[in-house]
Amino acid sequence: MDVNAVKAAWHGAAELKRHCSHVISTLGSQTPPEAFLYRGNAYYALGQPYFALADYNTAASVLKLSGEHQRRCRKALQSFPATQTGVYPSTDSHLHIFVKPMLSKSCAIETINEHVGRGVRAFECMPRNSVVVQPASPWLLYPTEEGLCAYCGTTLPERIFSCGNRECHEEYCSRDCRQEAMALYHAAVCHNTEFQSIELDVFAQMMEAKKAGAVVERNAAAAQLLMLRVLSAGVQRHVVPSAMGQVRILSGRLTFSPQVLASSMLHLYERLTRALHIATIVPYEEMVGILARMTANCFHRDGAVELHLPRSMLNHSCAANVAEYGQTGAMITTRDVARGEELVINYYPHLKDLPFSERTTELVRRGFRCMCAKCQRRE
């Protein structure tokens, strides 16, 4: 098959996927199962059998399929590399709402290079201790320890505020936090026992990984918990999660195992579709895209994993020139920054004093490959 024929086949499969997705999202619960079957064929033709499996399984729940489609996918996965990288682009559509009002007028969001993509650059000299990002609460947060408010992450007082559902595990430090959580995401899942069970299972996985000292697995589970928050917010608003302005402005990059996507992660997705009835709203690829964005942009703190929209615009560097000022929560420059210099933060500040080899080893353990100037100089 010549190159032009390959390109034509690829574009045909992409168009079939787009058309089937449109049919599924338009018809919703009235979608004929054949639409999932055809979209699965498109995913398979595009070289994504892990996504095809999800659609084949959905179609098989109604149609009497032989299982040959699933077997074909699993056979194809045997020849896949151990890991692949998925890239999910962002848009600038809502930066003026969620990010720019919090940024200093001395800096701006620009494209830095092909590797890191977008970042924040100073367009005039910024002296040390200049405010780069104003203090602000995270858009979403998930406590990673027990005894913390489910919305703001602070220690629960003696008098706690539950959501009103005795079977729900969420607890809050105040009425305001409870009200904010209900308005943002929790009302959609409060009485959903299946969803609650999924959250508790992922939380238990995170705690087990933490106890075992498995940092990569612990961070991965924490990002999944934040992904569940985003999915809940989307369900509450009756929109596809990636259509929300807060998500659209985030780019994602996820190194994943195709075998994991075809097994444990697929199992998680299918549990979610049963719990939230979102098979026609959130395709498997969409969920993985949300996870990629959470993994790339969340901040792991003691006791919580957080999503700060303005801070997420700042790229990582082991030689950062911006850090959080503890007394106010603002992000400030740690030295004089020249005009045109990129403003960067250290996602893992406790590793900054390690030599290159040890620092790189620790970053790889956390699933992070650093390409900052300091690491490129192997310092």
Side-chain angles (χ1 to χ4, degrees), residues 201-220:
D201 286 347
V202 177
F203 187 87
Q205 292 171 15
M206 181 190 65
M207 297 304 289
E208 289 176 6
K210 181 180 179 181
K211 185 177 180 180
V215 180
V216 174
E217 290 76 11
R218 182 263 182 195
N219 288 350

Side-chain angles (χ1 to χ4, degrees), residues 35-61:
F36 290 98
L37 179 62
Y38 297 153
R39 190 172 68 179
N41 291 339
Y43 274 125
Y44 183 85
L46 291 169
Q48 298 173 316
Y50 32 81
F51 293 146
L53 272 171
D55 279 343
Y56 287 150
N57 289 347
T58 300
S61 65

Side-chain angles (χ1 to χ4, degrees), residues 105-126:
K105 297 186 182 300
S106 299
C107 58
I109 300 171
E110 296 180 354
T111 299
I112 304 300
N113 56 48
E114 292 183 359
H115 176 73
V116 302
R118 194 173 56 188
V120 180
R121 194 189 300 276
F123 60 79
E124 64 182 27
C125 295
M126 299 183 70

Side-chain angles (χ1 to χ4, degrees), residues 129-142:
N129 294 330
S130 298
V131 174
V132 177
V133 180
Q134 298 289 339
S137 300
W139 175 52
L140 286 173
L141 169 153
Y142 204 107

Side-chain angles (χ1 to χ4, degrees), residues 305-320:
V305 56
E306 303 174 349
L307 182 61
H308 286 266
L309 299 178
R311 292 186 189 183
S312 66
M313 298 297 113
L314 296 163
N315 290 317
H316 165 82
S317 173
C318 293

Side-chain angles (χ1 to χ4, degrees), residues 228-244:
L228 295 178
R229 280 276 195 267
V230 175
L231 291 175
S232 301
V235 170
Q236 183 139 329
R237 299 183 187 186
H238 304 287
V239 298
V240 177
S242 61
M244 293 189 293

